Amino acid sequence: METRSNHVIVGAVVLILLAVLAIFTVWIARLGGTEEKEYDIFFKQSVDGLAKGSSVTFSGVPSGQVKAINLWKNDPQYVRVRISVNNDTPVLLGTTATISGVGFTGVSQVALDGARKGAPAIACPEQNAANDCPYGVPVIPTKQGGLGAILNSAPQLLERLSTLTERLTGLLTDRNQASIAGILDNTNRLTDALADRGPEIAATLAQTRVAIQQAGDAAQSIGALANTTNGVLTDDVHPAMQNLNKAIASAQQSAETLNSAIQDARPGLQTFSKQTIPEANRLVRDLRVTATALSSIADKVDQGGATSLVGQQRLPDYKGK
């Protein structure tokens, strides 16, 4: 009976000592550890390679670890990742979270980046906290990283690769391959023909150079001729034009003088045309009448002599048969 009581006492003492040791170990761990802050991240993408205990880095510096990974009940498209980071990690407004791969091992980690100096820390607001912090901790916004972009665009990429493969398969049919072979043969023949005509092509190029040089010389000659023409225009044509302008000015002045004289003589001309010209016309008519009468007298004198002017005209002598 006494032996059994001793065993119970010893067991109880051992259990008490183990409990004290566990409490002391936890207390030591808390003393040696640092305070941490927890945040939620809602990823709208696959989180392959990420697991509980995965590393959390800030600008490449290890700063914490993943505490939990769950599907968000409100929207299954999102994956809620709870992380804890050191208290001195600058999780400020502008900080974003991405999933990045670690080498080629297939393991992923949560990468934080984008803190700005002077920005306030991310915290749950006093108002509307249920929407902004649905699980009671601040939420870090996400930014699609390289791995996420690759994973999201993988279906489209595979579809495009499949389409490209089908088109290449349709392009490389037997008929098209024969056509491509014919094109390559024609290209080879053309290359051989060009190689055979190499000396002729070289001669043509040389003649082209000579023609270009001659064209340059002709251009220089035309330029010199243009300069000479400009000199002639300056030395000869310009003085002649000046003389011509003077002559035109003189002619214009003479025309103006003549116009003035005509204006001055216009009253006399009007009197001459209205009075003198009619009298001259009557004089001309009288002279015509006088000339007609004189002509008639002359005819009479020619036919009958001077006596015809004073006496009557004698009848001719009649002679009997």
Side-chain angles (χ1 to χ4, degrees):
M1 188 71 180
E2 293 178 356
T3 303
R4 185 175 180 181
S5 298
N6 292 333
H7 289 168
V8 171
I9 293 172
V10 171
V13 171
V14 172
L15 290 175
I16 292 172
L17 292 175
L18 290 176
V20 171
L21 180 62
I23 294 172
F24 179 76
T25 302
V26 173
W27 180 70
I28 292 295
R30 288 184 176 180
L31 289 178
T34 58
E35 295 183 1
E36 295 181 345
K37 294 181 179 179
E38 292 186 346
Y39 298 91
D40 280 339
I41 305 172
F42 294 90
F43 290 103
K44 192 179 181 180
Q45 64 184 61
S46 176
V47 292
D48 289 340
L50 200 65
K52 184 177 180 180
S54 297
S55 176
V56 177
T57 63
F58 192 96
S59 297
V61 179
S63 302
Q65 62 181 353
V66 176
K67 290 293 186 180
I69 301 176
N70 299 298
L71 290 174
W72 192 26
K73 296 179 180 179
N74 296 339
D75 190 349
Q77 293 182 357
Y78 290 89
V79 178
R80 183 176 69 90
V81 178
R82 173 68 63 86
I83 64 172
S84 63
V85 297
N86 300 332
N87 192 29
D88 57 351
T89 303
V91 182
L92 309 176
L93 286 178
T95 301
T96 57
T98 57
I99 297 177
S100 61
V102 181
F104 297 95
T105 60
V107 179
S108 300
Q109 64 182 8
V110 177
L112 304 179
D113 198 359
R116 293 176 294 179
K117 182 178 179 180
I122 295 178
C124 292
E126 295 180 357
Q127 298 179 354
N128 201 16
N131 293 330
D132 295 336
C133 302
Y135 292 94
V137 296
V139 177
I140 300 176
T142 60
K143 181 181 71 173
Q144 197 169 29
L147 179 61
I150 293 174
L151 292 176
N152 289 337
S153 62
Q156 293 84 356
L157 182 61
L158 292 175
E159 183 178 358
R160 292 178 181 178
L161 288 175
S162 177
T163 303
L164 179 61
T165 303
E166 292 177 358
R167 291 181 179 179
L168 288 176
T169 302
L171 179 63
L172 297 178
T173 59
D174 295 338
R175 181 178 179 182
N176 291 337
Q177 289 180 1
S179 300
I180 294 172
I183 292 172
L184 293 176
D185 292 338
N186 293 332
T187 304
N188 290 330
R189 286 196 295 270
L190 178 60
T191 304
D192 295 337
L194 290 176
D196 295 336
R197 295 295 181 87
E200 296 180 3
I201 295 173
T204 303
L205 291 176
Q207 293 177 1
T208 304
R209 293 192 188 97
V210 173
I212 293 172
Q213 184 176 1
Q214 291 177 353
D217 296 339
Q220 292 180 356
S221 300
I222 292 172
L225 179 60
N227 293 330
T228 303
T229 304
N230 290 331
V232 171
L233 290 174
T234 302
D235 297 337
D236 297 336
V237 176
H238 288 173
M241 291 297 294
Q242 293 177 356
N243 295 331
L244 180 60
N245 290 332
K246 292 179 180 178
I248 292 172
S250 298
Q252 186 175 3
Q253 185 176 2
S254 300
E256 292 176 355
T257 303
L258 180 59
N259 289 330
S260 299
I262 291 172
Q263 292 293 334
D264 295 337
R266 181 170 295 176
L269 292 175
Q270 291 178 354
T271 303
F272 177 78
S273 60
K274 291 181 179 179
Q275 297 179 3
T276 306
I277 291 177
E279 293 178 357
N281 289 331
R282 287 194 296 269
L283 178 59
V284 170
R285 286 196 299 269
D286 294 340
L287 291 174
R288 287 179 179 174
V289 172
T290 303
T292 304
L294 292 174
S295 177
S296 177
I297 292 170
D299 291 336
K300 289 181 179 181
V301 172
D302 289 336
Q303 294 177 2
T307 59
S308 62
L309 295 176
V310 295
Q312 294 181 356
Q313 183 178 1
R314 291 188 307 171
L315 293 174
D317 295 331
Y318 177 76
K319 296 179 180 180
K321 294 181 180 180

